[in-house]
Amino acid sequence: MPTASRPRAARATSYDVAQAAGVAQSTVSRCFQPGSHISDDTREHVLAVAARLGYAPNALARSLITRRSHAVGVLITRYTLRSAPALLYSLGDALARAGQHMILLAVDDDASVKPVLLGLRGYPLDGLIACATLDPAAVQGFTAHGVPVLFFNRSPGETDADAVSTDHEAGARALAEGMLGAGRRRFLCLGGPAAAPVGRLRIDGFQAGLRAAGLPEAAVLDGGFSYDQAHAVFVDAVARGARPDAIFCANDQMAMGVIDACRHELGWKIPDEVMVAGFDDVPEGARAPYRLTTVRQPIDAMARQAVELLRQRRATPERRPRRQRLPGEVIIRASAAWPG
């Protein structure tokens, strides 16, 4: 005969702690409030009793009173989560330093955002950092309820939200200028899906560098932001007659796929026969098989600035939106090098 499950222990309340500690319930509350006027002996005694009973303040209930949850939502696409985990770490670290908790919400892509947003509005957030595209109506839905929105490495579009990003166009243009300075003239680009805004900005910046030198724009292949797809479409393009001497990929994963295709399928020497550059500076790109020239995003500085802008927005909701683009750093390695 199956044994009956044991009843679940009731969660201790502040009243339980007050009774066990022999103090008023309001005293228990003050003991958990930093800076409250209460003696060290009383605080130490109450906290010891609370620990013995397994009591912790209800953060959600407190947020209803203070209108501050100390929680910030981070909306991020699964691609960004896989390809740039350092971004999430930097945001989490910057939020923690500001006394904020991070609530992570991952979506498949920018087109999958709306259903997640509907559920997210039920949380008492202090802010939302969007590493995905949101339309003005979605932003307004949060700001109308006192939740500021900040776009991180995404364009804010026509919204009134703050934004912090890498200057993607300038970084890609610098790569084009470097390759041109090295004497390269036959260019090919690999971008991401058409709906990926960051990839478009990087390709646009590279093309602007070519136009400024009086060259036609390069052909652009859809590398899908992935190693495998970039490898396959590049080999196919060469089979159909493409003969570039310089290749720009809108992220490092695609660049590594192209480098491996050149070496193992085509027998091309890098950088003698073809230069290859990427964008992001992922750790794998610096390793010996690739030694990839790329653009390093200032992720830590961006994360700190994002958290600060959210703080300022909470303090002054009516101020004009601020849009900050931080310069990336061109990292020159063996896959594409030029003087200076």
Side-chain angles (χ1 to χ4, degrees):
M1 182 174 180
T3 58
S5 59
R6 298 176 64 182
R8 195 172 180 179
R11 179 175 177 175
T13 67
S14 62
Y15 177 79
D16 298 327
V17 176
Q19 290 290 302
V23 300
Q25 196 170 359
S26 60
T27 300
V28 175
S29 297
R30 291 202 303 276
C31 285
F32 284 90
Q33 296 172 7
S36 60
H37 296 291
I38 196 166
S39 72
D40 291 341
D41 289 343
T42 299
R43 188 189 302 274
E44 184 177 340
H45 170 60
V46 170
L47 293 181
V49 172
R52 176 167 55 83
L53 296 179
Y55 168 77
N58 188 317
L60 182 58
R62 180 177 292 179
S63 73
L64 297 176
I65 299 171
T66 64
R67 295 183 179 274
R68 289 289 306 278
S69 65
H70 298 285
V72 172
V74 175
L75 182 67
I76 191 169
T77 64
R78 297 189 191 280
Y79 164 74
T80 302
L81 196 56
R82 289 193 302 268
S83 64
L87 180 152
L88 192 63
Y89 175 84
S90 294
L91 280 174
D93 185 61
L95 286 167
R97 290 174 182 273
Q100 300 281 334
H101 305 290
M102 180 172 65
I103 296 179
L104 179 64
L105 300 111
V107 296
D108 287 334
D109 51 38
D110 290 76
S112 308
V113 167
K114 285 187 178 180
V116 175
L117 294 183
L118 292 175
L120 187 59
R121 288 178 186 171
Y123 289 86
L125 298 177
D126 283 355
L128 175 65
I129 296 175
C131 307
T133 302
L134 303 180
D135 59 37
V139 173
Q140 178 62 24
F142 284 97
T143 57
H145 291 86
V147 180
V149 176
L150 178 137
F151 286 90
F152 192 87
N153 235 8
R154 283 290 193 277
S155 169
E158 300 299 320
T159 71
D160 290 329
D162 298 315
V164 177
S165 72
T166 300
D167 193 337
H168 301 284
E169 293 164 296
R173 180 167 180 156
L175 291 177
E177 291 168 351
M179 290 177 166
L180 286 163
R184 303 304 164 109
R185 292 297 182 270
R186 303 189 310 276
F187 292 89
L188 179 67
C189 293
L190 276 81
V198 168
R200 290 200 308 271
L201 289 173
R202 294 173 181 179
I203 295 297
D204 289 348
F206 193 86
Q207 302 283 33
L210 300 184
R211 291 195 303 271
L215 269 64
E217 292 189 352
V220 181
L221 306 177
D222 180 2
F225 278 156
S226 81
Y227 173 99
D228 291 331
Q229 185 169 327
H231 185 287
V233 299
F234 174 65
V235 170
D236 181 65
V238 172
R240 290 184 285 107
R243 290 294 184 273
D245 62 5
I247 302 166
F248 169 64
C249 300
N251 77 349
D252 290 344
Q253 295 295 332
M254 294 189 295
M256 290 187 286
V258 167
I259 287 175
D260 282 344
C262 288
R263 288 176 173 159
H264 304 304
E265 273 71 38
L266 304 174
W268 293 1
K269 293 182 179 179
I270 297 174
D272 298 341
E273 294 180 67
V274 60
M275 287 184 171
V276 181
F279 207 114
D280 286 330
D281 194 31
V282 300
E284 295 87 347
R287 294 172 184 165
Y290 301 107
R291 299 187 64 196
L292 179 63
T293 292
T294 186
V295 175
R296 177 181 297 159
Q297 298 194 74
I299 296 297
D300 289 342
M302 289 165 56
R304 291 192 298 269
Q305 190 60 36
V307 173
E308 172 61 17
L309 285 179
L310 274 182
R311 185 195 67 77
Q312 294 177 13
R313 175 65 71 180
R314 285 194 300 269
T316 314
E318 68 278 5
R319 70 164 172 77
R320 293 174 61 84
R322 296 177 182 171
R323 313 286 169 79
Q324 299 192 353
R325 292 197 298 176
L326 281 64
E329 179 186 0
V330 176
I331 306 297
I332 300 176
R333 300 192 182 101
S335 71
W338 46 84

